[in-house]
Amino acid sequence: MTRVFSGIQPTGDLHLGNLLGAVRNWVTDQHHNDSVFCIVDLHALTVPKSPGEVGAKTLELAQTLIACGLDPELCTLFVQSHVHQHAELGWILQCNASFGELNRMTQWKDKSGRQKEFVSAGLFTYPALQAADILLYDTDQVPVGEDQVQHIELTRDVAERFNSRYGETFVLPRAVVPTAGARVMDLQIPTDKMSKSAESDAGTILLGEELSRTAKKIKRAVTDSDNEVRWDPTGKPGVSNLLGILGACTGRDPESLADDYQQYGPLKSDTADAVVSMLEPIQARLEELRSDPGETNRLLAQGADKARSVAAPVLERTLTSIGLQPRA
Ligand code: TYM
């Protein structure tokens, strides 16, 4: 059976980009593949956090993922820091990734540029920990949005290098990106991707926000003045973003969807309706889950047990390949 692994950071609130680019596809994957999904709390520490902040966000994110349709009985859903093998393999892979490789990562360049006061060393070596997340599960496929593809390619490179240094140890994974929704853009600045860290939230749709606000944000989305509906992500980024969102919500090809519209108004209202009806049941389910955090914690503990049973032998295999002195 194909092994699928993916991760998400417990920082900020989940947004429409996370849902369409990743989480929605995980929900489908869990029915067909052996699927492992991880809340990567250690990754969240690469940017300074106050005490308790990451823990609270982790529980909230777990509840949101379950509300989106992840079923911990079908997939393995767990918290990264609950499975210590991630940090251990992360170190080993830092020693098998080069400074030059890490320095080429777009996310590192973006995020380090935004951190004015303190740029942690962890932010730089972050992709080695991400590689560990993936390789610990003998992963075949990694369903992600487009912005993560570079990290998955680095994971392959590091795995190949390790295998050629120490002998066949790791399965080489590949990224899987959706045809629509792989790169949801900011509604106000459609040349930037929708992000948790955007300066204003007018361009970001948060999964937990009031749905009247969601509809308003879509209706106020920046387009352009020629009023022609056409799929052209470079020339018409705002309009193409709306077509991409509507396509991802309805399962239709964004390019051919353009033929259905002569004006921006109807495109905006159909997109708003599609997003609102996708978010409505998620919000209702989230409300129920919030009333019983103990149950979510129980499911996460069960997920960590399942994850550990896969990760522990892979770490042992890695240590054996390197030939460290075995524990007596
Ligand atoms: P993160 O937490 O930033 O995002 C989680 C997932 O959401 C996707 N995504 C988007 N997709 C479409 N449009 C957008 N605007 C958009 N914004 C985010 C991301 O591509 C991602 O799939 N480094 C990862 C977390 C990670 C991970 C892993 C992923 C850690 N270990 C192992 C895969 C495998 C990250 O920061 O994702």
Coordinates of all heavy atoms in Angstrom, one line a residue, residues 189-284:
I189 N -3.4 41.0 -2.5 CA -2.2 41.1 -3.2 C -2.0 39.7 -4.0 O -1.3 38.8 -3.5 CB -1.0 41.3 -2.3 CG1 -1.3 42.4 -1.3 CG2 0.3 41.7 -3.1 CD1 -0.3 42.6 -0.2
P190 N -2.7 39.6 -5.1 CA -2.8 38.2 -5.7 C -1.5 37.7 -6.4 O -1.4 36.6 -6.9 CB -3.9 38.4 -6.8 CG -4.0 39.9 -7.0 CD -3.5 40.6 -5.8
T191 N -0.4 38.5 -6.2 CA 0.9 38.0 -6.6 C 1.7 37.3 -5.4 O 2.7 36.7 -5.6 CB 1.8 39.1 -7.2 OG1 1.7 40.3 -6.3 CG2 1.3 39.6 -8.6
D192 N 1.1 37.5 -4.2 CA 1.6 36.8 -3.0 C 0.8 35.6 -2.7 O -0.5 35.7 -2.8 CB 1.6 37.7 -1.8 CG 2.7 38.8 -1.9 OD1 3.4 38.8 -2.9 OD2 2.7 39.7 -1.0
K193 N 1.4 34.5 -2.1 CA 0.5 33.4 -1.7 C -0.2 33.7 -0.5 O 0.2 34.5 0.4 CB 1.4 32.1 -1.6 CG 2.2 32.1 -0.4 CD 2.9 30.8 -0.2 CE 3.7 30.9 1.1 NZ 4.5 29.9 1.6
M194 N -1.4 33.2 -0.3 CA -2.2 33.3 0.9 C -1.4 32.7 2.0 O -0.9 31.6 1.9 CB -3.6 32.7 0.8 CG -4.5 33.0 1.9 SD -6.2 32.2 1.7 CE -6.9 33.3 0.5
S195 N -1.3 33.4 3.1 CA -0.4 33.0 4.2 C -0.8 33.4 5.6 O -1.5 34.4 5.7 CB 1.0 33.6 3.9 OG 1.7 33.9 5.0
K196 N -0.4 32.6 6.6 CA -0.8 32.9 8.0 C -0.1 34.1 8.4 O -0.5 34.8 9.4 CB -0.3 31.7 8.9 CG -1.0 30.4 8.6 CD -0.2 29.3 9.3 CE -0.7 27.9 8.8 NZ 0.1 26.8 9.3
S197 N 1.0 34.5 7.8 CA 1.8 35.6 8.3 C 1.6 36.9 7.5 O 2.4 37.8 7.5 CB 3.3 35.2 8.3 OG 3.6 34.6 7.1
A198 N 0.5 36.9 6.6 CA 0.3 38.1 5.8 C 0.1 39.3 6.8 O -0.5 39.2 7.9 CB -1.0 37.9 5.0
E199 N 0.5 40.5 6.3 CA 0.4 41.7 7.2 C -1.1 42.1 7.5 O -1.4 42.4 8.6 CB 1.1 42.9 6.5 CG 2.5 42.8 6.9 CD 3.3 43.9 6.3 OE1 2.8 45.0 6.0 OE2 4.6 43.7 6.1
S200 N -2.0 42.0 6.5 CA -3.4 42.3 6.8 C -4.2 41.0 6.5 O -3.8 40.2 5.6 CB -3.9 43.4 5.9 OG -5.1 43.0 5.2
D201 N -5.3 40.8 7.2 CA -6.0 39.5 7.0 C -7.1 39.7 5.9 O -7.9 38.8 5.7 CB -6.5 38.9 8.3 CG -7.8 39.5 8.8 OD1 -8.2 40.6 8.3 OD2 -8.5 38.8 9.6
A202 N -7.2 40.9 5.3 CA -8.2 41.1 4.3 C -8.1 40.2 3.1 O -9.0 39.9 2.4 CB -8.2 42.6 3.8
G203 N -6.8 39.7 2.9 CA -6.6 38.9 1.7 C -6.5 37.4 2.1 O -6.3 36.5 1.2
T204 N -6.7 37.1 3.4 CA -6.6 35.7 3.8 C -8.0 35.2 4.3 O -8.6 35.9 5.2 CB -5.6 35.6 5.0 OG1 -4.4 36.2 4.5 CG2 -5.3 34.2 5.4
I205 N -8.4 34.0 3.9 CA -9.6 33.5 4.5 C -9.3 32.5 5.5 O -8.6 31.5 5.3 CB -10.5 32.8 3.3 CG1 -11.0 34.0 2.4 CG2 -11.6 32.0 3.9 CD1 -11.7 33.5 1.2
L206 N -9.7 32.8 6.8 CA -9.4 31.9 7.9 C -10.5 30.9 8.0 O -11.7 31.3 7.9 CB -9.2 32.7 9.1 CG -8.0 33.7 9.1 CD1 -8.0 34.6 10.3 CD2 -6.7 33.0 8.8
L207 N -10.2 29.7 8.3 CA -11.2 28.6 8.4 C -12.3 28.9 9.5 O -13.4 28.5 9.4 CB -10.6 27.2 8.6 CG -10.5 26.4 7.3 CD1 -9.8 27.2 6.2 CD2 -9.9 25.1 7.6
G208 N -11.8 29.6 10.6 CA -12.7 29.8 11.7 C -13.4 31.1 11.7 O -14.2 31.4 12.6
E209 N -13.2 31.9 10.7 CA -13.8 33.3 10.7 C -15.3 33.3 10.4 O -15.8 32.3 9.9 CB -13.1 34.2 9.8 CG -13.4 34.0 8.3 CD -12.5 34.8 7.4 OE1 -11.5 35.4 7.8 OE2 -12.8 34.8 6.2
E210 N -16.0 34.4 10.8 CA -17.4 34.5 10.5 C -17.6 34.4 9.0 O -16.9 35.1 8.2 CB -17.9 35.8 11.0 CG -19.0 35.6 12.0 CD -19.4 37.0 12.5 OE1 -20.1 37.7 11.7 OE2 -19.1 37.3 13.7
L211 N -18.6 33.6 8.5 CA -18.7 33.3 7.1 C -19.2 34.6 6.3 O -18.9 34.7 5.1 CB -19.7 32.1 6.9 CG -19.0 30.8 7.4 CD1 -20.0 29.7 7.3 CD2 -17.8 30.5 6.6
S212 N -19.9 35.5 7.0 CA -20.3 36.7 6.3 C -19.0 37.5 6.0 O -18.9 38.2 4.9 CB -21.2 37.6 7.2 OG -20.6 37.9 8.4
R213 N -18.0 37.4 6.8 CA -16.7 38.1 6.6 C -16.0 37.4 5.4 O -15.4 38.1 4.5 CB -15.9 37.9 7.8 CG -15.0 39.0 8.1 CD -14.4 38.9 9.6 NE -13.0 39.1 9.6 CZ -12.4 40.2 9.3 NH1 -13.1 41.3 9.0 NH2 -11.1 40.4 9.3
T214 N -16.1 36.1 5.3 CA -15.5 35.4 4.2 C -16.1 35.8 2.9 O -15.3 36.1 2.0 CB -15.8 33.8 4.4 OG1 -15.3 33.4 5.7 CG2 -15.1 33.0 3.3
A215 N -17.4 35.9 2.8 CA -18.1 36.3 1.6 C -17.6 37.7 1.2 O -17.4 38.0 0.0 CB -19.6 36.1 1.8
K216 N -17.6 38.6 2.2 CA -17.2 40.0 2.0 C -15.8 40.0 1.4 O -15.5 40.8 0.4 CB -17.3 40.8 3.3 CG -18.1 42.0 3.1 CD -18.2 42.8 4.4 CE -19.6 42.7 5.0 NZ -19.6 43.0 6.4
K217 N -14.9 39.3 2.0 CA -13.5 39.3 1.5 C -13.4 38.9 0.1 O -12.6 39.4 -0.7 CB -12.6 38.4 2.4 CG -12.3 38.9 3.8 CD -11.4 37.9 4.5 CE -11.1 38.3 5.9 NZ -10.3 37.3 6.6
I218 N -14.2 37.9 -0.3 CA -14.1 37.4 -1.7 C -14.7 38.4 -2.6 O -14.2 38.7 -3.7 CB -14.8 36.0 -1.8 CG1 -14.0 35.0 -1.0 CG2 -14.9 35.6 -3.3 CD1 -14.6 33.6 -0.9
K219 N -15.8 39.0 -2.2 CA -16.4 40.0 -3.1 C -15.6 41.3 -3.2 O -15.7 42.0 -4.2 CB -17.8 40.4 -2.6 CG -18.7 39.2 -2.9 CD -20.1 39.3 -2.4 CE -20.9 38.0 -2.7 NZ -22.1 37.9 -1.9
R220 N -14.7 41.5 -2.3 CA -13.8 42.7 -2.4 C -12.4 42.3 -2.9 O -11.5 43.1 -2.9 CB -13.6 43.3 -1.0 CG -14.8 44.0 -0.5 CD -14.6 44.7 0.8 NE -15.8 45.3 1.3 CZ -16.1 45.5 2.6 NH1 -15.2 45.2 3.5 NH2 -17.3 46.0 2.9
A221 N -12.3 41.1 -3.4 CA -11.0 40.6 -3.9 C -10.5 41.5 -5.0 O -11.3 42.0 -5.8 CB -11.1 39.2 -4.4
V222 N -9.2 41.8 -5.0 CA -8.6 42.7 -6.1 C -8.6 41.9 -7.4 O -8.3 40.7 -7.5 CB -7.1 43.0 -5.7 CG1 -6.4 43.6 -6.9 CG2 -7.1 44.0 -4.6
T223 N -9.2 42.6 -8.5 CA -9.1 41.9 -9.8 C -8.3 42.9 -10.7 O -7.2 43.1 -10.5 CB -10.6 41.7 -10.3 OG1 -11.4 42.8 -10.1 CG2 -11.2 40.5 -9.6
D224 N -9.0 43.4 -11.8 CA -8.3 44.4 -12.6 C -9.4 45.1 -13.3 O -10.6 44.9 -13.1 CB -7.3 43.7 -13.6 CG -7.9 42.6 -14.4 OD1 -9.1 42.8 -14.9 OD2 -7.3 41.6 -14.5
S225 N -9.1 46.1 -14.2 CA -10.1 47.0 -14.8 C -10.7 46.5 -16.1 O -11.6 47.1 -16.6 CB -9.6 48.4 -14.8 OG -8.4 48.4 -15.6
D226 N -10.1 45.4 -16.7 CA -10.6 45.2 -18.1 C -11.9 44.3 -18.1 O -12.5 44.1 -19.2 CB -9.5 44.6 -19.0 CG -9.1 43.2 -18.8 OD1 -9.8 42.6 -18.0 OD2 -8.1 42.7 -19.4
N227 N -12.3 43.8 -17.0 CA -13.5 43.1 -16.8 C -13.7 41.9 -17.8 O -14.8 41.6 -18.2 CB -14.7 44.0 -16.9 CG -15.9 43.6 -16.0 OD1 -15.7 42.8 -15.1 ND2 -17.1 44.0 -16.3
E228 N -12.6 41.2 -18.1 CA -12.7 40.0 -18.9 C -12.3 38.8 -18.1 O -11.2 38.8 -17.5 CB -11.8 40.1 -20.1 CG -11.9 39.0 -21.1 CD -10.7 38.9 -22.1 OE1 -9.9 39.8 -22.1 OE2 -10.6 37.9 -22.7
V229 N -13.1 37.8 -18.0 CA -12.8 36.6 -17.2 C -12.0 35.6 -18.1 O -12.5 35.1 -19.0 CB -14.1 35.9 -16.7 CG1 -13.7 34.7 -15.8 CG2 -14.9 36.9 -15.8
R230 N -10.7 35.5 -17.7 CA -9.8 34.7 -18.5 C -8.8 34.1 -17.6 O -8.4 34.7 -16.6 CB -9.1 35.6 -19.5 CG -8.1 34.9 -20.4 CD -7.9 35.8 -21.7 NE -7.7 37.2 -21.4 CZ -6.5 37.8 -21.0 NH1 -5.4 37.1 -20.9 NH2 -6.4 39.1 -20.7
W231 N -8.4 32.8 -17.8 CA -7.4 32.1 -17.0 C -6.0 32.6 -17.5 O -5.6 32.2 -18.6 CB -7.6 30.6 -17.1 CG -6.5 29.8 -16.5 CD1 -5.5 29.2 -17.1 CD2 -6.3 29.6 -15.0 NE1 -4.6 28.6 -16.1 CE2 -5.1 28.8 -14.9 CE3 -7.0 30.1 -13.9 CZ2 -4.6 28.5 -13.6 CZ3 -6.5 29.7 -12.7 CH2 -5.3 28.9 -12.5
D232 N -5.4 33.4 -16.7 CA -4.0 33.9 -17.0 C -3.3 34.3 -15.7 O -3.3 35.5 -15.4 CB -4.2 35.1 -18.0 CG -2.9 35.8 -18.3 OD1 -1.8 35.3 -17.9 OD2 -2.9 36.8 -19.0
P233 N -2.7 33.3 -15.0 CA -2.2 33.6 -13.7 C -1.1 34.7 -13.7 O -1.0 35.5 -12.7 CB -1.5 32.3 -13.3 CG -2.3 31.3 -14.1 CD -2.7 31.9 -15.4
T234 N -0.4 34.9 -14.8 CA 0.6 36.0 -14.8 C 0.0 37.4 -15.2 O 0.2 38.3 -14.4 CB 1.7 35.7 -15.9 OG1 2.0 34.3 -15.8 CG2 2.9 36.5 -15.7
G235 N -0.9 37.4 -16.2 CA -1.4 38.7 -16.6 C -2.6 39.1 -15.8 O -2.9 40.3 -15.6
K236 N -3.4 38.1 -15.3 CA -4.6 38.4 -14.5 C -4.6 37.6 -13.2 O -5.4 36.7 -13.1 CB -5.9 38.1 -15.4 CG -6.0 38.9 -16.6 CD -7.2 38.5 -17.4 CE -8.5 39.0 -16.9 NZ -8.8 40.4 -17.0
P237 N -3.7 37.9 -12.3 CA -3.5 37.1 -11.1 C -4.7 37.0 -10.2 O -5.1 36.0 -9.7 CB -2.3 37.6 -10.4 CG -2.1 39.0 -10.9 CD -2.7 39.0 -12.3
G238 N -5.4 38.2 -10.1 CA -6.6 38.2 -9.2 C -7.7 37.3 -9.7 O -8.3 36.5 -9.0
V239 N -8.1 37.5 -11.0 CA -9.2 36.8 -11.6 C -8.8 35.3 -11.6 O -9.6 34.4 -11.3 CB -9.4 37.3 -13.0 CG1 -10.5 36.4 -13.7 CG2 -9.8 38.7 -13.0
S240 N -7.6 35.0 -12.0 CA -7.2 33.6 -12.0 C -7.2 32.9 -10.7 O -7.5 31.7 -10.5 CB -5.7 33.4 -12.6 OG -5.7 34.0 -13.9
N241 N -6.9 33.7 -9.6 CA -7.0 33.2 -8.2 C -8.4 32.8 -7.9 O -8.6 31.7 -7.4 CB -6.4 34.2 -7.3 CG -6.2 33.6 -5.9 OD1 -5.9 32.5 -5.7 ND2 -6.4 34.5 -4.9
L242 N -9.4 33.6 -8.3 CA -10.8 33.3 -8.0 C -11.2 32.1 -8.8 O -11.8 31.2 -8.2 CB -11.7 34.5 -8.4 CG -11.5 35.7 -7.5 CD1 -12.3 36.9 -8.1 CD2 -12.0 35.4 -6.1
L243 N -10.7 32.0 -10.0 CA -11.1 30.8 -10.8 C -10.4 29.5 -10.2 O -11.0 28.4 -10.2 CB -10.5 30.9 -12.3 CG -11.3 31.9 -13.2 CD1 -10.5 32.2 -14.4 CD2 -12.7 31.4 -13.5
G244 N -9.2 29.7 -9.7 CA -8.5 28.5 -9.1 C -9.3 28.1 -7.8 O -9.4 26.9 -7.6
I245 N -9.7 29.1 -7.0 CA -10.4 28.7 -5.8 C -11.8 28.0 -6.1 O -12.1 27.0 -5.6 CB -10.7 30.0 -4.9 CG1 -9.3 30.5 -4.4 CG2 -11.6 29.7 -3.8 CD1 -9.4 31.9 -3.7
L246 N -12.5 28.6 -7.1 CA -13.8 28.0 -7.4 C -13.6 26.6 -8.0 O -14.3 25.7 -7.7 CB -14.5 29.0 -8.4 CG -15.9 28.6 -8.9 CD1 -16.8 28.4 -7.7 CD2 -16.5 29.6 -9.9
G247 N -12.5 26.5 -8.9 CA -12.2 25.2 -9.5 C -11.9 24.2 -8.4 O -12.4 23.0 -8.4
A248 N -11.1 24.6 -7.4 CA -10.7 23.6 -6.3 C -12.0 23.2 -5.5 O -12.1 22.1 -5.1 CB -9.7 24.2 -5.4
C249 N -12.9 24.2 -5.3 CA -14.1 23.9 -4.5 C -15.1 23.0 -5.2 O -15.8 22.3 -4.6 CB -14.8 25.2 -4.0 SG -13.9 26.2 -2.9
T250 N -15.1 23.2 -6.5 CA -16.2 22.5 -7.3 C -15.7 21.3 -8.1 O -16.4 20.6 -8.7 CB -16.8 23.5 -8.3 OG1 -15.8 24.0 -9.1 CG2 -17.6 24.6 -7.6
G251 N -14.3 21.1 -8.0 CA -13.8 20.0 -8.8 C -13.7 20.2 -10.3 O -13.6 19.3 -11.1
R252 N -13.8 21.5 -10.7 CA -13.7 21.8 -12.1 C -12.4 22.4 -12.5 O -11.7 23.0 -11.7 CB -14.9 22.7 -12.5 CG -16.2 22.0 -12.4 CD -17.3 22.8 -13.1 NE -16.9 23.2 -14.5 CZ -17.5 24.2 -15.1 NH1 -18.6 24.8 -14.6 NH2 -17.1 24.6 -16.3
D253 N -12.1 22.3 -13.8 CA -10.8 22.9 -14.3 C -10.9 24.4 -14.3 O -11.8 24.9 -15.0 CB -10.6 22.2 -15.6 CG -9.5 23.0 -16.4 OD1 -8.4 23.2 -15.7 OD2 -9.6 23.3 -17.5
P254 N -10.0 25.1 -13.7 CA -10.2 26.6 -13.6 C -10.2 27.3 -15.0 O -10.9 28.2 -15.2 CB -8.9 27.0 -12.8 CG -8.4 25.8 -12.2 CD -8.9 24.6 -12.9
E255 N -9.4 26.7 -15.9 CA -9.3 27.3 -17.2 C -10.6 27.3 -17.9 O -11.1 28.3 -18.5 CB -8.2 26.6 -18.0 CG -7.7 27.4 -19.2 CD -6.4 26.9 -19.7 OE1 -5.8 26.0 -19.1 OE2 -6.0 27.4 -20.8
S256 N -11.3 26.1 -17.9 CA -12.6 26.0 -18.6 C -13.7 26.7 -17.9 O -14.7 27.1 -18.5 CB -12.9 24.5 -18.9 OG -13.1 23.8 -17.7
L257 N -13.6 26.8 -16.6 CA -14.6 27.6 -15.8 C -14.7 29.0 -16.3 O -15.8 29.6 -16.2 CB -14.1 27.6 -14.3 CG -14.7 26.8 -13.3 CD1 -14.1 27.0 -11.9 CD2 -16.2 27.0 -13.2
A258 N -13.6 29.6 -16.8 CA -13.6 31.0 -17.2 C -14.7 31.2 -18.3 O -15.3 32.3 -18.4 CB -12.3 31.4 -17.8
D259 N -15.0 30.2 -19.1 CA -15.9 30.3 -20.2 C -17.4 30.6 -19.7 O -18.2 31.0 -20.4 CB -16.0 29.0 -21.1 CG -14.6 28.8 -21.7 OD1 -13.8 29.7 -21.8 OD2 -14.3 27.6 -22.1
D260 N -17.6 30.2 -18.4 CA -19.0 30.4 -17.9 C -19.2 31.8 -17.5 O -20.4 32.1 -17.1 CB -19.1 29.5 -16.6 CG -19.1 28.0 -17.0 OD1 -18.9 27.7 -18.1 OD2 -19.2 27.2 -16.0
Y261 N -18.2 32.7 -17.4 CA -18.4 34.0 -16.9 C -18.0 35.1 -17.9 O -17.0 35.0 -18.5 CB -17.6 34.2 -15.6 CG -18.0 33.2 -14.5 CD1 -17.4 32.0 -14.4 CD2 -19.1 33.5 -13.7 CE1 -17.9 31.1 -13.4 CE2 -19.5 32.7 -12.7 CZ -18.9 31.4 -12.6 OH -19.4 30.6 -11.6
Q262 N -18.9 36.1 -17.9 CA -18.6 37.3 -18.7 C -18.2 38.5 -17.9 O -17.6 39.4 -18.3 CB -19.9 37.7 -19.5 CG -20.0 37.0 -20.9 CD -20.4 35.5 -20.7 OE1 -21.3 35.3 -20.0 NE2 -19.6 34.6 -21.3
Q263 N -18.5 38.4 -16.6 CA -18.3 39.5 -15.7 C -17.7 39.1 -14.3 O -17.9 37.9 -14.0 CB -19.6 40.3 -15.4 CG -20.0 41.1 -16.6 CD -21.3 41.8 -16.3 OE1 -22.2 41.1 -15.7 NE2 -21.4 43.1 -16.6
Y264 N -17.0 40.0 -13.7 CA -16.4 39.6 -12.4 C -17.4 39.3 -11.3 O -17.2 38.5 -10.4 CB -15.4 40.7 -11.9 CG -14.2 40.9 -12.8 CD1 -13.5 42.1 -12.8 CD2 -13.8 39.9 -13.7 CE1 -12.4 42.2 -13.6 CE2 -12.8 40.1 -14.5 CZ -12.0 41.3 -14.5 OH -10.9 41.4 -15.3
G265 N -18.5 40.1 -11.3 CA -19.5 40.1 -10.2 C -20.0 38.6 -10.0 O -19.9 38.1 -8.8
P266 N -20.5 38.0 -11.0 CA -21.0 36.6 -10.8 C -19.9 35.6 -10.4 O -20.1 34.7 -9.6 CB -21.6 36.2 -12.2 CG -21.9 37.5 -12.8 CD -20.9 38.5 -12.3
L267 N -18.7 35.8 -11.0 CA -17.6 34.9 -10.6 C -17.3 35.1 -9.1 O -17.2 34.1 -8.4 CB -16.3 35.3 -11.4 CG -15.0 34.6 -11.0 CD1 -15.1 33.1 -11.1 CD2 -13.8 35.2 -11.7
K268 N -17.3 36.3 -8.6 CA -17.1 36.5 -7.2 C -18.2 35.9 -6.3 O -17.9 35.3 -5.3 CB -17.0 38.0 -6.9 CG -15.6 38.6 -7.4 CD -15.5 40.1 -7.0 CE -14.1 40.6 -7.3 NZ -14.0 42.0 -7.0
S269 N -19.5 36.1 -6.7 CA -20.5 35.6 -5.8 C -20.5 34.0 -5.9 O -20.7 33.4 -4.8 CB -21.9 36.2 -6.0 OG -22.2 36.4 -7.3
D270 N -20.3 33.4 -7.0 CA -20.2 32.0 -7.1 C -19.0 31.4 -6.2 O -19.2 30.4 -5.5 CB -20.1 31.4 -8.5 CG -21.4 31.5 -9.3 OD1 -22.4 32.0 -8.6 OD2 -21.5 31.1 -10.4
T271 N -17.9 32.1 -6.3 CA -16.8 31.7 -5.5 C -17.1 31.8 -4.0 O -16.8 30.9 -3.2 CB -15.5 32.5 -5.9 OG1 -15.3 32.5 -7.3 CG2 -14.3 32.0 -5.2
A272 N -17.7 33.0 -3.6 CA -18.0 33.1 -2.2 C -19.0 32.0 -1.8 O -18.8 31.4 -0.7 CB -18.7 34.5 -2.0
D273 N -20.0 31.7 -2.6 CA -21.0 30.7 -2.2 C -20.3 29.3 -2.0 O -20.5 28.6 -1.1 CB -22.1 30.5 -3.3 CG -23.0 31.7 -3.3 OD1 -22.9 32.5 -2.3 OD2 -23.8 31.8 -4.2
A274 N -19.4 29.0 -3.0 CA -18.7 27.7 -2.9 C -17.8 27.6 -1.7 O -17.8 26.6 -1.0 CB -17.8 27.5 -4.2
V275 N -17.1 28.7 -1.4 CA -16.2 28.6 -0.2 C -17.0 28.5 1.1 O -16.8 27.7 2.0 CB -15.3 29.9 -0.2 CG1 -14.5 29.9 1.1 CG2 -14.3 29.8 -1.3
V276 N -18.1 29.4 1.2 CA -18.9 29.4 2.4 C -19.6 28.0 2.6 O -19.6 27.4 3.7 CB -20.0 30.5 2.3 CG1 -21.1 30.3 3.3 CG2 -19.3 31.8 2.5
S277 N -20.0 27.3 1.5 CA -20.6 26.0 1.7 C -19.6 25.0 2.0 O -19.9 24.0 2.7 CB -21.6 25.6 0.7 OG -21.2 26.0 -0.6
M278 N -18.4 25.2 1.7 CA -17.3 24.2 2.1 C -17.0 24.4 3.6 O -16.7 23.5 4.3 CB -16.1 24.5 1.2 CG -15.0 23.5 1.5 SD -13.6 23.7 0.4 CE -14.0 22.5 -0.8
L279 N -17.0 25.7 4.0 CA -16.5 26.0 5.4 C -17.6 25.7 6.5 O -17.3 25.4 7.6 CB -16.0 27.4 5.5 CG -14.8 27.8 4.7 CD1 -14.3 29.1 5.1 CD2 -13.7 26.7 4.8
E280 N -18.9 25.9 6.1 CA -20.0 25.8 7.0 C -20.0 24.5 7.9 O -19.9 24.6 9.1 CB -21.3 25.9 6.3 CG -22.3 26.9 6.9 CD -23.3 27.3 5.9 OE1 -23.6 26.6 4.9 OE2 -24.0 28.3 6.2
P281 N -19.9 23.3 7.2 CA -19.9 22.1 8.0 C -18.6 21.9 8.8 O -18.7 21.3 9.9 CB -20.1 21.0 7.0 CG -19.7 21.6 5.7 CD -20.0 23.0 5.8
I282 N -17.5 22.5 8.4 CA -16.3 22.4 9.1 C -16.4 23.2 10.4 O -16.1 22.7 11.5 CB -15.1 22.9 8.3 CG1 -14.9 22.0 7.0 CG2 -13.8 23.0 9.1 CD1 -13.8 22.5 6.1
Q283 N -17.0 24.3 10.3 CA -17.1 25.2 11.5 C -18.1 24.5 12.5 O -17.9 24.6 13.7 CB -17.6 26.6 11.1 CG -16.6 27.3 10.3 CD -16.9 28.8 10.2 OE1 -18.0 29.3 10.6 NE2 -16.0 29.6 9.7
A284 N -19.2 23.9 12.0 CA -20.1 23.3 12.9 C -19.5 22.1 13.7 O -19.6 22.0 14.9 CB -21.3 22.8 12.1

